[in-house]
């Protein structure tokens, strides 16, 4: 697989603070890449630097092996789709799509018939065949998003940067547009770098997921690897599916605010550790249920449950007031009927816990 873009130690500061701190990665051709990070972690800055709207303070960016230093944004062959779509309100759908082709610096398309055909092809690709003459003010949010995408794709970029492209859509539409975006990308065979603050979106969409934490790449791996083996406590926290504890490793156990968790032999190294157990690795048992040797057990008071399709998430209060979350998949064992304020045993396997340094 060849590399479309490579960043080498890219650093960019704002008012003394590093918005991007020695960012290093290479993205493959023809792939869907998610970039996940909390608000303020530098996601937009990273896209702006790649697009050429900002120059890095140091480091370099290689596009198909060539350095991009000093190359103007419109000469980079990189497309950008903004969160707010940024369409021209006075132009029709077709005119919006044609705009980039007609006005591009390199090889502008002026032949009316060629232009019309390219616009048609592109509208078909994004599922908007027949919408050419509509005003962009008279189509839905999802359709506007497709126009924004079509307007970028028509210029045939090799890399498309999408800054929270689904952020402005309602939840229902967001789900459908996930599938749609993936399909459109597959049809045109270019690399999409999709920025999102949503862990479920990042994991569902990316062939490769990059996690940004305070301007640094905290992990770059497949969804599966990120979900099952987050590289740090910060990554586990952003995934929103791990209970995390700070504490200390003493002998063969992790000692934290919720008590003493016996550890597997392989997990005793970290000097300043955090302990993590995924929501769906925990079972809820009656308070007096037996515990096995390979298990860790704590007690907590049931607060409430939340159903979401195939799973139910149950919230418990630990004795120190922290909330502990358990996710039970309804296709497995149905959790027992839980009584508010009653005390339960929460149990997991020692080997399912992660301990971070
Ligand atoms: P994200 O898109 O992940 O929410 P940003 O890339 O917008 O984060 O911002 C990263 C950091 O850079 C933040 O700390 C932000 O305050 C800072 N920053 C971004 N743009 C500017 C700017 N124009 N002036 C000053 N600081 C900025
Ligand atoms: Mg942003």
């Amino acid at each position: 697989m060849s590399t479309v873009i490579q960043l080498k130690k890219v650093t960019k500061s704002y008012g003394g603070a590093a918005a991007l701190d020695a960012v290093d990665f290479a993205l493959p051709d023809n792939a869907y890449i998610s970039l996940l990070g909390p608000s303020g972690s530098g996601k937009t800055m990273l896209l702006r630097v790649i697009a050429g709207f900002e120059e890095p303070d140091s480091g370099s960016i290689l596009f198909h092996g060539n350095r991009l230093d000093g190359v103007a944004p419109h000469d980079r062959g990189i497309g950008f789709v903004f969160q707010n779509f940024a369409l021209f309100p006075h132009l029709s759908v077709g005119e919006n799509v044609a705009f980039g082709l007609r006005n591009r610096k390199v090889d502008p398309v002026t032949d009316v018939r060629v232009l019309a055909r390219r616009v048609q092809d592109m509208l078909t690709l994004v599922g908007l065949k027949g919408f050419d003459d509509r005003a962009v003010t008279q189509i839905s949010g999802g359709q506007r998003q497709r126009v924004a995408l079509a307007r970028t794709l028509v210029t045939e970029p090799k890399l498309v940067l999408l800054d929270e492209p689904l952020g402005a859509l309602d939840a229902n539409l967001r789900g459908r547009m996930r599938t749609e975006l993936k399909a459109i990308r597959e049809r045109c065979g270019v690399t999409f770098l999709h920025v999102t603050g949503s862990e479920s979106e990042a994991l569902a969409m990316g062939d490769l997921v990059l996690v940004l934490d305070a301007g640094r790449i905290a992990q770059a791996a497949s969804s599966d690897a990120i979900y099952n083996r987050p590289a740090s406590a910060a990554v586990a926290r952003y995934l929103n599916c791990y209970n995390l504890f700070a504490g200390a490793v003493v002998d063969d156990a992790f000692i934290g605010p919720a008590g003493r968790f016996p550890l597997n032999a392989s997990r005793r190294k970290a000097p300043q550790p955090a302990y993590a157990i995924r929501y769906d690795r925990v079972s809820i048992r009656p308070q007096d249920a037996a515990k096995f040797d390979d298990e860790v057990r704590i007690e907590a008071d049931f607060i409430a449950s939340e159903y979401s399709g195939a799973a139910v998430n149950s919230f418990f209060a630990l004795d120190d007031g922290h909330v502990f979350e358990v996710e039970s998949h309804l296709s497995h064992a149905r959790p027992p009927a839980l009584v508010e304020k009653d005390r339960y045993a929460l149990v997991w396997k020692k080997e399912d816990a992660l301990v971070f340094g």
Side-chain angles (χ1 to χ4, degrees), residues 137-167:
T137 47
Q138 284 166 353
I139 55 176
S140 71
Q143 289 165 339
R144 277 203 291 278
Q145 180 59 271
R146 286 166 212 242
V147 176
L149 194 60
R151 197 180 52 173
T152 301
L153 292 175
V154 78
T155 63
E156 299 179 323
K158 291 285 175 282
L159 172 67
V160 180
L161 311 173
L162 304 106
D163 196 357
E164 309 209 25
L166 308 183

Side-chain angles (χ1 to χ4, degrees), residues 188-201:
C188 47
V190 299
T191 291
F192 276 19
L193 177 56
H194 173 139
V195 155
T196 177
S198 154
E199 67 286 350
S200 62
E201 193 171 298

Side-chain angles (χ1 to χ4, degrees), residues 14-15 17-19 37-46 54 163-164 195 212:
Y14 253 114
S39 180
S41 59
K43 304 184 297 297
T44 295
M45 184 60 70
L46 184 58
E54 309 269 352
D163 196 357
E164 309 209 25
V195 155
L212 198 62

Side-chain angles (χ1 to χ4, degrees), residues 197-228:
S198 154
E199 67 286 350
S200 62
E201 193 171 298
L203 295 178
M205 301 193 70
D207 304 318
L208 171 69
V209 180
L210 308 176
V211 184
L212 198 62
D213 172 32
R216 289 169 169 267
I217 298 293
Q219 190 167 8
S222 69
S223 299
D224 191 59
I226 299 235
Y227 185 59
N228 290 302

